[in-house]
């Protein structure tokens, strides 16, 4: 099976952007549009020397016929060291894989040498599919040991995304499937099949075989992964119930290659003086990111075309109105997406979907579970393995942060959270220091899908509360903002699914709605608890209070705005600090929130009495009672100056007159009305200065009668709209006539 060309002749491959040996030896890559003339320099001469050494080594390994001992052969040691050194430093060119794979799997050399050769197969650009197919043929004749076969499969899984085409590999699906009978190889074969599976590969006999293996080996995660994928493609064939969530489907198969591939990539990018074509063969500029961010660019898909330029000329004939696949690298416009929406062939690197709006549109329109499964698998592996607080390399911090930002933007685009992100957060929040990638982590928290409370309490609320209470004021505000967005995303999800439910699904909707109400209620209670504690810890800062009240602006309108039959009042530890705040912004926010609570409760009461709502959830009498207690306290403070006497809330302001007299505060009853309230006194001073510019005594007692109404108009003109709607809705004005005349 010797397919080697002459030593200096580069392998001719179809992919137009693939690296050839002459470009590789210069430390760069071929320009896809024109031939580059490289000038000789000391560095180029050094590269030429390394190139000659590599070609001599490849020529030697190609001609090996008999079994050679490593210890007694200096020539073999020399060429093996050359291959290892160059591979680890710059990666191997595409034409080197055919020779090295054939010799490693042919059994001509000892397993020690074969192992070292396989571990040195680090690609500098892409790997020709023909080289992989020819090497797979050696598995048929059992020339190499089972350990070498296993190592080859692990290598193939690791570099799967670097193979230039995959049509011939897909044709070998049945051959790989036959290796499932080997218990040692079964996990890696399942992993490879998982990457290769298409709908046409799902056959009844293969499902039966997997079920037989599962009965023999037990509930193995790798078998369940393949069965889950089969069930997504053909649910009518796979009728068994499979676990909903599995943390890790496959064993780590990346061995020594992944770190070496990343190192080679960075080194090659740093040595290149110009913008290079993408590492995996696209015409876009190369990113300086690690593997995960490089995968965010669309690679050439696994298509059976040989010339992309010819494809573009023929695309209207080849793809529109036919059953042929439409490669995503040719997808440029929304009209192309609409015309080929049922013929798209997604890239092997699912990460490239995250940055392509057209593919995200496709995922939104075509609910193909296999695409989500592939994306979740890739994303889960990447998030866990490259997590910054697991990796010591500080250079990866910015790259990982950018990757998290990309994932968040994709979630915003799709308007739904990824389950792989949820699992990543649940597993890593207990280990998180609250500082590393803070903004990105909290943004991902805002897209966690709905889960049961017990699961969220142990995995989200408990670790988040521990960080919340021990971190800075600004971190507390960031957490509150994230939880507000989480609540809004859940409520938006409810609105979308409520609109899409049909009349025949009323029973299931009731069940779903009941679960949603319980989970949302627990989130609101959690935020109320941490807010109360935080206000005490931080001594009621206005900045923190703003974010807390901002959360309750969403809560107070859930019934009317989001059609969710739930209203929960803020705890007294939030309400009273806001009512007695020194800042008018907080007081104005509170007034608006109480106005919206009133509007929602009145609407709920009317619906309850009319019984027109088919899905009826009655608010508890405790909700109305708590609202009334708060209203009495607010009106007593701001309007009637009777809060200390009439506030009936258990944690309210009610105090004996004797105790109030001991404070030596004159006119203590009016201390918190709209004139004397600490948050409003500044407005009262400005009003007096404008109304009586010659009076320098600032006599607040002048603000009464008609002047009280003028003062109200002055406050409304200052932008206190929350105060305005609260007074107009919750206070019966006695002097309406006087107010109208004013």
């Amino acid at each position: 099976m010797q397919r080697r060309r002459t030593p200096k002749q580069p392998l001719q491959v179809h992919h137009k952007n693939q690296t050839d040996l002459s470009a590789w030896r210069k430390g760069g890559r071929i320009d896809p549009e024109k031939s580059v003339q490289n000038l000789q320099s000391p560095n180029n001469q050094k590269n030429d020397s390394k190139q000659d050494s590599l070609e001599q080594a490849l020529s030697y390994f190609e001609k090996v016929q008999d079994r050679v001992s490593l210890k007694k052969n200096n020539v073999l040691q020399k060429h093996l060291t050359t291959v290892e050194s160059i591979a680890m430093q710059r990666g191997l060119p595409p034409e080197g894989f055919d020779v090295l794979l054939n010799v490693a799997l042919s059994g001509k050399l000892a397993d020690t040498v074969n192992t070292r050769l396989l571990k040195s197969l680090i690609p500098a650009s892409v790997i020709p599919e023909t080289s992989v197919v020819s090497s797979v043929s050696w598995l048929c004749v059992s020339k190499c040991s089972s350990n070498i076969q296993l190592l080859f499969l692990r290598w193939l899984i690791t570099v799967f995304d670097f193979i230039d085409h995959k049509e011939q590999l897909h044709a070998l699906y049945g051959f790989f499937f036959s290796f499932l009978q080997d218990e040692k190889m079964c996990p890696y074969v399942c992993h490879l099949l998982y990457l290769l599976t298409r709908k046409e590969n799902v056959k009844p006999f293969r499902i039966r075989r997997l079920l037989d293996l599962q009965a023999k080996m037990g509930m193995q995660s790798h078998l369940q992964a393949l069965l889950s994928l089969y069930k997504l493609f053909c649910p009518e064939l796979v009728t068994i119930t499979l676990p909903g969530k599995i943390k890790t489907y496959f064993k780590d198969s990346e061995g020594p290659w992944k770190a070496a591939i990343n190192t080679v990539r960075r080194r090659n990018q740093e040595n290149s003086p110009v913008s290079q074509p993408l590492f995996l063969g696209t015409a876009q500029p190369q990113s300086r990111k690690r593997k995960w961010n490089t995968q965010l660019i669309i690679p050439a898909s696994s298509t059976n075309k040989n010339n992309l330029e010819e494809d573009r000329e023929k695309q209207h004939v080849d793809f529109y109105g036919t059953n042929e696949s439409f490669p995503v690298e040719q997808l440029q416009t929304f009209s192309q997406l609409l015309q080929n929406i049922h013929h798209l062939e997604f890239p092997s690197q699912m990460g490239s979907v995250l940055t392509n709006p057209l593919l995200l549109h496709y995922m939104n329109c075509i609910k193909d579970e296999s695409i989500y499964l592939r994306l979740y698998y890739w994303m889960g592996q990447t998030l866990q393995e490259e997590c910054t607080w697991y990796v010591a390399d500080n250079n990866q911090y910015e790259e990982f942060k950018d990757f998290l930002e990309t994932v968040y933007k994709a979630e915003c685009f799709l308007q739904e959270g990824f389950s792989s992100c949820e699992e990543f957060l649940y597993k890593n929040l207990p280990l998180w220091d609250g500082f590393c990638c803070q903004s990105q982590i909290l943004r991902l928290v805002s897209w966690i899908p709905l889960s049961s409370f017990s699961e969220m309490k142990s995995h989200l609320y408990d670790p988040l509360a521990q960080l919340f209470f021990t971190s800075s004021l600004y971190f507390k505000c960031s957490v509150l903002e994230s939880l507000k967005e989480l609540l809004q995303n859940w409520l938006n999800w409810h609105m979308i699914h409520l609109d899409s439910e049909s009349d025949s699904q009323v029973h299931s909707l009731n069940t779903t709605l009941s679960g949603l109400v319980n989970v949302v209620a627990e989130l609101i209670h959690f935020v109320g608890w941490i807010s109360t504690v935080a206000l005490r810890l931080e001594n009621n800062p206005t900045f923190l209070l703003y974010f807390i009240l901002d959360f309750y602006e969403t809560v107070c309108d859930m019934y009317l705005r989001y059609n969710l039959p739930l209203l929960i009042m803020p705890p007294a530890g939030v309400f009273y600090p806001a009512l007695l705040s020194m800042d008018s912004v907080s007081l104005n926010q509170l007034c608006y929130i109480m106005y919206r609570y009133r509007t929602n409760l009145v609407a709920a009461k009317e619906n309850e009495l009319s019984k027109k709502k088919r899905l009826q959830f009655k608010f508890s009498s405790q909700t109305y009672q708590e609202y009334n207690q708060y209203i009495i306290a607010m009106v007593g403070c701001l309007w009637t100056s009777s809060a200390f006497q009439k506030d009936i809330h258990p944690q309210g302001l009610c105090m004996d007159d004797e105790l109030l007299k001991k404070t030596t505060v004159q006119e203590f009853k009016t201390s918190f009305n709209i004139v004397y309230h600490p948050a409003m006194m500044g407005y009262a001073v400005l009003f007096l200065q404008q109304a009586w510019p010659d009076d320098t005594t600032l006599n607040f007692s002048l603000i009464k009668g008609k002047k009280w109404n003028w003062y109200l108009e002055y406050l409304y003109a200052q932008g206190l709209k929350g105060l305005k709607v609260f007074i107009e809705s919750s206070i019966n004005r006695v002097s309406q006539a006087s107010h109208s005349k004013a």
Side-chain angles (χ1 to χ4, degrees):
M1 298 183 65
Q2 295 187 359
R3 306 169 59 167
R4 175 75 175 158
R5 278 85 173 160
T6 56
K8 295 272 184 176
Q9 180 181 356
L11 181 66
Q12 299 298 318
V13 293
H14 297 305
H15 199 288
K16 65 177 290 183
N17 286 331
Q18 180 169 319
T19 308
D20 72 5
L21 213 55
S22 62
W24 174 87
R25 72 191 292 179
K26 302 298 181 187
R29 290 174 176 78
I30 287 184
D31 187 326
E33 305 298 334
K34 58 185 177 181
S35 176
V36 178
Q37 300 296 325
N38 293 301
L39 300 176
Q40 290 296 323
S41 66
N43 284 337
N44 286 339
Q45 293 174 4
K46 183 178 180 180
N47 290 335
D48 289 344
S49 175
K50 289 183 178 180
Q51 172 61 28
D52 292 338
S53 299
L54 178 62
E55 293 201 359
Q56 292 173 13
L58 294 178
S59 178
Y60 171 81
F61 284 116
E62 185 179 26
K63 296 174 182 178
V64 168
Q65 297 295 334
D66 302 322
R67 195 173 183 87
V68 181
S69 172
L70 179 63
K71 294 182 179 179
K72 300 179 180 179
N73 194 316
N74 293 331
V75 178
L76 174 58
Q77 291 181 1
K78 172 189 172 184
H79 292 312
L80 182 59
T81 302
T82 297
V83 171
E84 290 176 325
S85 174
I86 294 178
M88 295 301 172
Q89 185 177 4
R90 302 179 58 184
L92 297 176
E95 47 271 39
F97 289 92
D98 194 32
V99 174
L100 297 178
L101 282 170
N102 280 331
V103 71
L105 298 174
S106 64
K108 296 177 182 179
L109 301 174
D111 274 5
T112 305
V113 179
N114 295 332
T115 299
R116 290 175 62 179
L117 284 175
L118 286 174
K119 288 183 177 181
S120 65
L121 294 179
I122 311 300
S125 57
V126 293
I127 300 172
E129 183 188 31
T130 53
S131 301
V132 177
V133 172
S134 65
S135 61
V136 169
S137 65
W138 282 107
L139 302 182
C140 303
V141 295
S142 301
K143 291 286 187 179
C144 56
S145 67
S146 59
N147 288 336
I148 295 300
Q149 292 180 4
L150 198 63
L151 190 63
F152 169 71
L153 283 178
R154 292 176 59 195
W155 173 81
L156 186 56
I157 293 167
T158 304
V159 301
F160 185 81
D161 289 334
F162 295 83
I163 301 172
D164 57 356
H165 302 288
K166 299 185 179 69
E167 287 305 313
Q168 295 179 38
L169 269 182
H170 281 293
L172 295 173
Y173 191 93
F175 172 76
F176 289 120
F177 194 90
S178 66
F179 279 88
L180 287 175
Q181 61 190 356
D182 189 315
E183 280 193 40
K184 198 173 180 181
M185 297 177 67
C186 184
Y188 301 104
V189 173
C190 283
H191 194 164
L192 182 59
L193 291 174
Y194 188 93
L195 299 174
L196 287 171
T197 298
R198 295 173 175 172
K199 187 172 184 178
E200 59 265 24
N201 300 127
V202 181
K203 305 292 183 184
F205 76 89
R206 287 179 178 147
I207 296 172
R208 288 195 297 270
R209 179 61 180 154
L210 289 175
L211 293 176
D212 290 342
L213 287 172
Q214 185 167 268
K216 176 183 176 183
M217 301 180 181
M219 297 288 284
Q220 300 294 324
S221 60
H222 49 274
L223 294 174
Q224 292 176 24
L226 202 51
L227 281 169
S228 297
L229 189 57
Y230 281 11
K231 189 168 186 174
L232 286 174
F233 281 124
C234 300
E236 71 281 0
L237 297 180
V238 184
T239 57
I240 65 169
T241 302
L242 296 168
K245 287 185 179 180
I246 297 179
K247 297 297 183 184
T248 305
Y249 276 130
F250 303 109
K251 296 179 180 179
D252 180 16
S253 59
E254 294 174 337
W257 300 286
K258 185 173 182 179
I261 288 172
N262 292 331
T263 302
V264 167
R265 170 182 280 112
R266 286 199 299 269
R267 185 177 293 123
N268 287 347
Q269 290 169 356
E270 290 168 0
N271 292 338
S272 176
V274 294
S275 178
Q276 303 168 347
L278 181 67
F279 192 78
L280 289 177
T282 67
Q284 301 187 27
Q286 176 142 353
S287 167
R288 288 183 172 270
K289 305 299 178 189
R290 286 168 54 87
K291 182 178 179 180
W292 57 77
N293 280 342
T294 312
Q295 287 178 326
L296 301 182
I297 310 299
I298 298 180
S301 62
S302 308
T303 177
N304 56 359
K305 305 297 181 184
N306 293 334
N307 192 313
L308 294 182
E309 291 300 324
E310 292 178 5
D311 288 345
R312 291 189 182 95
E313 294 172 3
K314 298 177 181 179
Q315 66 183 24
H316 290 281
V317 177
D318 291 340
F319 299 117
Y320 296 163
T322 73
N323 292 324
E324 270 193 77
S325 296
F326 187 87
V328 291
E329 71 269 15
Q330 296 187 22
L331 188 63
Q332 302 294 331
T333 65
F334 193 74
S335 60
Q336 282 183 318
L337 172 66
L338 295 178
Q339 294 178 29
N340 298 280
I341 197 165
H342 297 296
H343 309 295
L344 281 182
E345 180 183 357
F346 263 59
S348 298
Q349 294 180 4
M350 288 303 295
S352 60
V353 175
L354 296 179
T355 54
N356 189 299
L358 294 175
L359 296 185
L360 292 175
H361 273 302
Y362 176 86
M363 290 180 66
N364 248 344
C365 298
I366 307 296
K367 297 299 182 181
D368 187 344
E369 291 295 331
S370 63
I371 294 176
Y372 280 91
L373 196 63
R374 287 175 60 197
L375 181 63
Y376 291 166
Y377 166 70
W378 169 81
M379 191 182 300
Q381 293 287 105
T382 305
L383 284 169
Q384 197 56 49
E385 294 170 7
E386 309 297 347
C387 183
T388 302
W389 44 92
Y390 285 139
V391 181
D393 187 358
N394 292 329
N395 294 329
Q396 299 176 12
Y397 175 77
E398 291 297 329
E399 300 168 3
F400 184 66
K401 190 166 70 171
D402 290 343
F403 173 67
L404 295 180
E405 190 72 26
T406 301
V407 173
Y408 168 73
K409 290 178 180 178
E411 289 182 324
C412 291
F413 189 98
L414 295 173
Q415 287 295 292
E416 63 178 303
F418 298 138
S419 61
S420 50
C421 287
E422 178 189 12
E423 293 173 6
F424 166 75
L425 291 170
Y426 285 173
K427 185 172 182 179
N428 288 280
L429 280 177
L431 308 174
W432 184 41
D433 60 4
F435 175 76
C436 182
C437 303
Q438 180 187 116
S439 175
Q440 289 71 30
I441 294 294
L442 292 178
R443 285 181 178 182
L444 293 180
V445 166
S446 69
W447 281 107
I448 290 179
L450 280 165
S451 304
S452 65
F453 171 68
S454 59
E455 185 174 350
M456 297 200 71
K457 183 180 186 306
S458 58
H459 292 104
L460 176 64
Y461 297 155
D462 289 349
L464 207 55
Q466 188 175 4
L467 283 169
F468 184 85
F469 295 138
T470 57
S471 297
S472 68
L473 172 64
Y474 298 100
F475 180 81
K476 291 181 175 67
C477 296
S478 299
V479 169
L480 290 169
E481 178 70 14
S482 177
L483 294 177
K484 183 200 75 171
E485 292 176 359
L486 176 63
L487 175 62
Q488 289 176 336
N489 290 332
W490 285 355
L491 295 173
N492 288 330
W493 176 90
H494 164 66
M495 288 292 292
I496 294 170
H497 286 75
L498 188 63
D499 292 340
S500 64
E501 293 289 348
S502 64
D503 292 338
S504 62
Q505 295 173 306
V506 172
H507 178 72
S508 62
L509 176 60
N510 269 304
T511 304
T512 304
L513 188 56
S514 176
L516 175 65
V517 166
N518 291 334
V519 174
V520 169
E522 294 298 343
L523 172 60
I524 296 171
H525 288 312
F526 172 72
V527 173
W529 170 60
I530 63 173
S531 299
T532 301
V533 177
L535 286 171
R536 293 175 183 172
L537 289 174
E538 302 289 347
N539 197 22
N540 300 328
T542 301
F543 189 62
L544 177 62
L545 194 57
Y546 170 81
F547 284 92
I548 296 172
L549 294 177
D550 195 38
F551 177 84
Y552 280 97
E553 278 194 33
T554 300
V555 174
C556 69
D557 236 356
M558 292 190 299
Y559 182 73
L560 289 178
R561 182 172 295 179
Y562 298 101
N563 205 14
L564 186 72
L566 177 68
L567 280 178
I568 297 176
M569 302 301 297
V574 170
F575 173 79
Y576 284 102
L579 178 59
L580 305 179
S581 171
M582 303 283 287
D583 184 76
S584 60
V585 173
S586 300
L587 182 62
N588 188 61
Q589 268 186 295
L590 180 65
C591 289
Y592 176 78
I593 289 170
M594 295 306 294
Y595 160 72
R596 292 308 303 171
Y597 269 120
R598 181 185 187 279
T599 306
N600 280 256
L601 287 170
V602 169
K605 196 67 175 179
E606 290 174 352
N607 288 331
E608 184 180 332
L609 295 175
S610 66
K611 297 183 179 179
K612 291 181 179 178
K613 291 289 183 180
R614 177 161 29 100
L615 302 172
Q616 190 62 53
F617 282 74
K618 293 184 179 180
F619 293 154
S620 68
S621 59
Q622 182 182 354
T623 304
Y624 292 102
Q625 180 183 356
E626 196 168 9
Y627 169 78
N628 289 331
Q629 290 173 346
Y630 285 162
I631 283 296
I632 291 172
M634 286 191 70
V635 174
C637 272
L638 301 176
W639 197 261
T640 64
S641 301
S642 59
F644 297 119
Q645 291 76 33
K646 294 186 178 181
D647 191 345
I648 59 176
H649 194 281
Q651 297 173 268
L653 302 175
C654 186
M655 285 185 257
D656 294 334
D657 286 348
E658 295 299 324
L659 179 62
L660 289 168
K661 289 177 181 178
K662 292 180 181 180
T663 63
T664 67
V665 176
Q666 296 180 357
E667 301 296 332
F668 56 82
K669 291 184 179 181
T670 61
S671 296
F672 291 101
N673 67 19
I674 58 173
V675 176
Y676 293 95
H677 194 292
M680 309 301 294
M681 191 172 287
Y683 292 106
V685 170
L686 292 175
F687 174 74
L688 289 174
Q689 289 176 344
Q690 293 183 27
W692 294 276
D694 298 330
D695 188 353
T696 59
T697 60
L698 297 178
N699 186 1
F700 294 102
S701 62
L702 294 175
I703 306 178
K704 60 184 178 180
K706 291 182 179 180
K707 298 179 180 62
W708 179 277
N709 294 327
W710 297 349
Y711 177 59
L712 279 180
E713 295 296 335
Y714 174 79
L715 293 178
Y716 300 161
Q718 302 307 306
L720 299 177
K721 302 302 182 184
L723 179 68
K724 180 177 187 291
V725 294
F726 172 77
I727 291 176
E728 291 178 349
S729 64
S730 300
I731 297 174
N732 291 322
R733 301 286 303 280
V734 177
S735 55
Q736 289 295 332
S738 300
H739 173 67
S740 300
K741 291 179 182 179

